[in-house]
Amino acid sequence: MCLLLLLVPAAGFAGFGDDFYEGLYTRGMTHFHASEYQAAFSDLHLAAFGFVDQLERFETAEAYAAIAANRLGNEALTRAALVGIAKADGIQPHFRSIAISDALRAELERAATLLLTDEERAALHIAGQTQRPAALR
């Protein structure tokens, strides 16, 4: 009986965690669409953590986080989010099927071309140069 009483709150916390990450994702997307990129990155990157067992959702959250960081001009955060996508895609490929517009996908691919290694880009099936163009160095 004591074990049953301990399991009931644990089940409630599991649902709470799902709601927490869903709320972060929703709030992050609201910030993203309002061009509030710092808040969008923070919420979406954290929400992605809650979706590690749902790789397509993880990659979608990280894709929007990467775009938000890119729009802030923060290469380190952009790269971190892109690397997360590349690692997830190495486990189970979803990058090509995540629901983002062609324009946003193109923006992600441009950032990946500049910030990821050949190996990381290959995981995402993105061709690109191995070094930045001289104008961007």
Side-chain angles (χ1 to χ4, degrees), residues 108-125:
L108 269 178
E109 290 181 0
R110 281 191 303 274
T113 298
L114 294 173
L115 300 174
L116 296 181
T117 66
D118 291 342
E119 183 179 305
E120 292 161 341
R121 281 194 312 277
L124 298 176
H125 305 289

Side-chain angles (χ1 to χ4, degrees), residues 20-121:
F20 175 75
Y21 292 112
E22 281 296 330
L24 281 172
Y25 179 82
T26 300
R27 192 172 67 201
M29 292 301 285
T30 299
H31 287 304
F32 183 88
H33 292 298
S35 300
E36 298 165 350
Y37 298 121
Q38 184 63 54
F41 175 83
S42 297
D43 288 346
L44 291 166
H45 191 61
L46 186 55
F49 176 78
F51 300 140
V52 294
D53 59 341
Q54 304 168 46
L55 291 181
E56 189 167 343
R57 298 278 326 269
F58 172 86
E59 289 190 32
T60 301
E62 283 288 65
Y64 278 96
I67 294 165
N70 190 55
R71 290 181 178 180
L72 290 169
N74 190 321
E75 290 183 358
L77 293 180
T78 304
R79 178 175 161 58
L82 288 168
V83 167
I85 296 168
K87 287 180 180 179
D89 232 51
I91 296 168
Q92 192 175 37
H94 288 287
F95 180 69
R96 290 277 162 231
S97 64
I98 60 174
I100 60 173
S101 71
D102 291 341
L104 292 179
R105 185 176 304 278
E107 185 175 342
L108 269 178
E109 290 181 0
R110 281 191 303 274
T113 298
L114 294 173
L115 300 174
L116 296 181
T117 66
D118 291 342
E119 183 179 305
E120 292 161 341
R121 281 194 312 277

